[in-house]
Amino acid sequence: MQPPFLRATARAFANIALAKYWGKADISLNIPAVPSVSVTLGALSTTTTVSFHDGLGCNEVTINDAPAQGRSYSRVSDLIDRVRDAAGVSTFARVVSTNNFPTASGLASSASGFAALCLAAVKASRLDWDLARISALARSCSASAARSLYGGFVRLDAGVEGCSELSATQIAPASHWPLHVVIAIVSGKPKKLASTDGMNLTAATSAYYDAWVRLCPSIADAVEQAIRDRAFDVLGELTERSAMSMHALAMASTPPILYFEPATIGVLHAVWAMRSQGLQAYATMDAGPNVKVLTTAQDSTKVAQILGHVAGVQGVIDSPLGQDACTFDDAADVSHEELK
Ligand code: PMV
């Protein structure tokens, strides 16, 4: 069967911020108030096909084999409508998106999801946009998604109100430094509070928010320098400092925001114990209870083995760093299964 006229398939990898973004300078344009630096995770990806069809009466969105509903549907459909407007495409789109990690793992990532969606939508509609412009589009949906357009080590600067073109930039490709991230899954439940709601509540109510905004540029710059220098312990200490500062400020919100589960604390103690025994491992957590442990290619198997035995850990994923987001030949009948 011939593919429809306008169609593209893209894959993007998830990422984990070592210097965290938490807080918006412009809520409606989704502009971060602080800079962030991430590593791209080669083991976690989203593959998305966007195809425009004459017969559709609205955009159709399928995520992990199920029709998207509510906020998940409207966020995807709104993005498709923006791309249709920019490209002058009148037909609606069918969007089929698949994660290569278990749906119930609690790892469902808006970063890889929106990066793959934006790339596929832009390519399918034949807009001649470079990766930076697509990164800015992804950032407008989910700031962390801007970073998932690039592989390796990636930075997203802070912006100011009204600056709609902000995009991420690559600090270095994955080949610069073959680090690993071991993910300890402690809960498969959906997030208690979406990151946007969490950061807006923090900005409005946490006494530490202004101090955080002042602290972040120095952490992000030092993280970037540690990456350039391949200084593992410096990078690891900054990574834990950024994560713990972010969670401390969220906990001090009213009502308090606590993303940790008991097993999160168990994993943190296990990481600190491993370090005292000479393994290279530092922990970070996003807006959820799972722990991502930054480690080296040399130590990752041992780190994964130890974390797998911590009480409450349901599974571990040992991830090398990932590459840039990419598209596949849109004339080929690409199966999402093959790309997993
Ligand atoms: O881009 P969002 O809305 O998914 O927010 C991401 C927030 C954190 O994951 C906690 C930090 C980050 O920089 O990725």
Side-chain angles (χ1 to χ4, degrees):
M1 198 180 86
Q2 287 297 308
F5 173 52
L6 292 173
R7 163 177 150 150
T9 294
R11 178 173 61 194
F13 295 97
N15 70 76
I16 177 75
L18 307 181
K20 301 286 186 202
Y21 143 66
W22 194 255
K24 298 179 197 284
D26 186 321
I27 293 177
S28 60
L29 292 175
N30 206 34
I31 304 294
V34 298
S36 55
V37 178
S38 60
V39 286
T40 304
L41 302 175
L44 304 182
S45 66
T46 303
T47 301
T48 300
T49 300
V50 173
S51 47
F52 294 96
H53 295 264
D54 283 340
L56 296 176
C58 63
N59 296 315
E60 283 182 11
V61 182
T62 304
I63 301 175
N64 294 324
D65 299 325
Q69 284 163 345
R71 198 173 176 184
S72 328
Y73 173 82
S74 55
R75 288 178 81 192
V76 173
S77 183
D78 290 353
L79 180 278
I80 292 291
D81 289 344
R82 286 169 58 199
V83 172
R84 290 171 57 225
D85 278 355
V89 174
S90 57
T91 49
F92 289 104
R94 178 169 294 140
V95 177
V96 178
S97 185
T98 318
N99 293 329
N100 76 339
F101 43 94
T103 312
S105 64
L107 297 172
S109 169
S110 59
S112 55
F114 279 108
L117 173 69
C118 289
L119 184 54
V122 164
K123 293 294 173 193
S125 61
R126 306 296 187 258
L127 282 168
D128 186 20
W129 289 10
D130 62 12
L131 220 48
R133 194 156 178 200
I134 300 169
S135 168
L137 180 68
R139 192 263 312 130
S140 70
C141 306
S142 162
S144 57
R147 302 185 309 242
S148 273
L149 269 310
Y150 299 97
F153 303 85
V154 186
R155 178 172 179 128
L156 176 63
D157 274 320
V160 289
E161 239 180 309
C163 74
S164 58
E165 290 311 307
L166 184 70
S167 58
T169 49
Q170 189 181 55
I171 296 169
S175 57
H176 168 71
W177 195 10
L179 295 179
H180 276 229
V181 174
V182 177
I183 301 150
I185 299 167
V186 307
S187 168
K189 290 189 217 140
K191 271 180 207 175
K192 287 181 202 153
L193 185 64
S195 49
T196 287
D197 299 334
M199 58 185 85
N200 291 344
L201 178 67
T202 304
T205 65
S206 177
Y208 306 129
Y209 182 72
D210 291 343
W212 163 255
V213 172
R214 283 196 304 275
L215 171 72
C216 285
S218 63
I219 293 191
D221 290 351
V223 161
E224 183 171 341
Q225 193 56 49
I227 289 167
R228 293 191 190 286
D229 297 344
R230 299 189 188 87
F232 187 81
D233 287 331
V234 176
L235 180 63
E237 274 164 26
L238 290 161
T239 296
E240 285 194 355
R241 185 166 175 226
S242 175
M244 296 309 261
S245 302
M246 182 198 105
H247 284 277
L249 110 125
M251 280 179 218
S253 302
T254 307
I257 303 169
L258 180 62
Y259 287 112
F260 296 176
E261 297 284 344
T264 310
I265 310 284
V267 173
L268 280 172
H269 284 290
V271 168
W272 295 332
M274 274 185 236
R275 227 156 55 219
S276 68
Q277 288 155 19
L279 286 172
Q280 293 191 292
Y282 289 87
T284 183
M285 293 76 54
D286 280 339
N290 298 319
V291 185
K292 286 91 176 180
V293 180
L294 184 71
T295 184
T296 56
Q298 195 192 340
D299 284 353
S300 73
T301 307
K302 184 83 184 145
V303 168
Q305 193 189 8
I306 296 172
L307 291 180
H309 289 102
V310 175
V313 170
Q314 298 166 5
V316 289
I317 299 171
D318 181 358
S319 179
L321 300 193
Q323 306 296 325
D324 286 358
C326 63
T327 47
F328 297 93
D329 179 3
D330 55 19
D333 190 9
V334 191
S335 138
H336 283 205
E337 283 303 315
E338 285 164 29
L339 296 170
K340 277 187 180 181

